[in-house]
Every structure is written in structure tokens, then in C-alpha cells.
Amino acid sequence: MNLSLYSVNAFIILDSEGHRVLAKYYRPKSHPQGEPKDLSTLKDQRAFEKGLWQKTKKPGGDIILFEGHLAVFRHSLDLIFYIIGGPTENEIMLYSALTAFSDAVSLLLRNQVEKRAVLENLDLVLLCLDETIDDGIIVETDSTTIASRVSRPKADTTEIVINEQTIMSAYQTVREKVQQRIQQL
């Protein structure tokens, strides 16, 4: 029985042609099972991603056991999100982490979760991923919490409108203050 917190082996985003948009593979040296033996080279990762995409490119289904890995996936327009875990992992936990991540990205990208938007906002997507999964450990499964931690703070909620009237008002104020100073002397 696996009692480790390390439950995620990889997180992958592929486009509709099976090309990698984002991939992050986890298995730190401190993992109870040691260094990873599979998916350690780029060639192995690309082959795994290609085979995984072939099995999951058509919508329908959420979970698949592929090459000894549990893959939980979700389609979104022209992207497919994957969380890869070991064969004995809790699929409900993996699915809730994937749902939280994809919902947080959807919130941050204003429901435009497509390849172009993800690439343009890759910094936000990576921050979402880091807030959801840390070194293979699922740390957050609430999409609003993830989105609030990642979202950019608004600079200033009060807009300063500069027009002719505000400039004239400022000029009048300065003029009155200067006149008052001159009268005091």
C-alpha cells in the first residue's frame, strides 16, 4: 500500500495534433521509490505523450490506464490536460486536482482556454500548476483559491481621468495659493 504524498508523476498539456504545449514530470530524489526509471529521457517522454494522445484524442472518457500509468485527462477546445499518476493512485484525487487546475485556468483566462491563450499566458498557467501540484504532491484542489493566489493584482482601482477641466482646476488652485502667499508677504 502506497502511503506517500507523492501522487503525481507528470502533468501534460497537448494540443489537438498531439504536440506538447506544456509538460512537467515529477519524481524528486527524495521520493520513497527513488529516482524515476521510466520517462526520464526526452525521447521516452515524447513517445509516451504520442501514445497517450493516440489513445485519448477523441473526447469521451476521463481515466485510462496506459503503459502502467494512470492517466486522468480532460478535453478543452483544442487542448487536452493530463495528470499522470502511478497505477495504484487514487483516481478521484487526481481527477479533483485536474478539475481544480483546469477550472482555475479557465477563470484566469476568462473561459478562453485554447492553445493561443495558454501560450500567451503561460506564466499564469505555470503558476496555477505550481499552486496545484508541488514536486508531485497535490497541494490544492479548490479552483477559486488557486486562481486568487495566481491572479495579478489590480494596479489601482480608482482611475485618474485627466481632461481639460481637471487641468484648469489644478491651475486655478495653484494660482489661488500663489496669490495668497504673495498677499501674506
Side-chain angles (χ1 to χ4, degrees):
M1 187 158 121
N2 182 12
L3 296 176
S4 172
L5 291 176
Y6 295 98
S7 57
V8 178
N9 294 345
F11 180 86
I12 305 167
I13 300 176
L14 300 178
D15 66 7
S16 57
E17 287 93 42
H19 298 113
R20 179 190 284 191
V21 175
L22 171 70
K24 200 165 185 181
Y25 288 83
Y26 303 100
R27 192 54 101 57
K29 294 177 181 164
S30 61
H31 190 280
Q33 296 173 357
E35 285 285 333
K37 291 161 187 59
D38 58 341
L39 305 176
S40 58
T41 66
L42 182 62
K43 182 180 175 184
D44 292 342
Q45 292 172 2
R46 295 281 178 151
F48 177 78
E49 291 167 12
K50 184 176 182 179
L52 184 63
W53 178 77
Q54 288 290 332
K55 289 278 189 183
T56 61
K57 64 184 174 183
K58 293 187 174 141
D62 298 329
I63 301 170
I64 186 172
L65 192 60
F66 180 73
E67 292 184 5
H69 296 278
L70 184 65
V72 179
F73 60 97
R74 180 177 230 188
H75 289 265
S76 174
L77 294 177
D78 60 347
L79 296 174
I80 308 173
F81 297 100
Y82 299 93
I83 286 188
I84 311 299
T88 60
E89 288 303 328
N90 183 345
E91 55 273 344
I92 295 172
M93 188 65 187
L94 293 176
Y95 186 76
S96 65
L98 181 63
T99 302
F101 171 81
S102 61
D103 290 348
V105 168
S106 180
L107 284 170
L108 291 169
L109 299 181
R110 295 178 180 86
N111 293 326
Q112 295 181 352
V113 184
E114 56 190 19
K115 184 178 179 181
R116 181 189 54 78
V118 167
L119 289 174
E120 287 175 358
N121 296 292
L122 194 58
D123 57 339
L124 292 177
V125 174
L126 285 170
L127 285 172
C128 269
L129 181 57
D130 289 342
E131 287 294 330
T132 308
I133 302 167
D134 183 29
D135 215 16
I137 299 171
I138 297 171
V139 291
E140 187 63 63
T141 57
D142 182 32
S143 60
T144 54
T145 304
I146 295 167
S148 69
R149 289 181 186 167
V150 170
S151 64
R152 295 180 181 129
K154 293 190 166 95
D156 193 6
T157 55
T158 60
E159 279 189 40
I160 300 173
V161 179
I162 298 178
N163 57 28
E164 203 173 302
Q165 188 176 12
T166 57
I167 293 173
M168 288 303 290
S169 174
Y171 174 72
Q172 289 291 335
T173 305
V174 169
R175 188 171 158 204
E176 289 172 5
K177 295 287 183 183
V178 170
Q179 283 180 349
Q180 287 175 359
R181 289 280 188 182
I182 291 173
Q183 289 174 357
Q184 288 177 351
L185 295 176

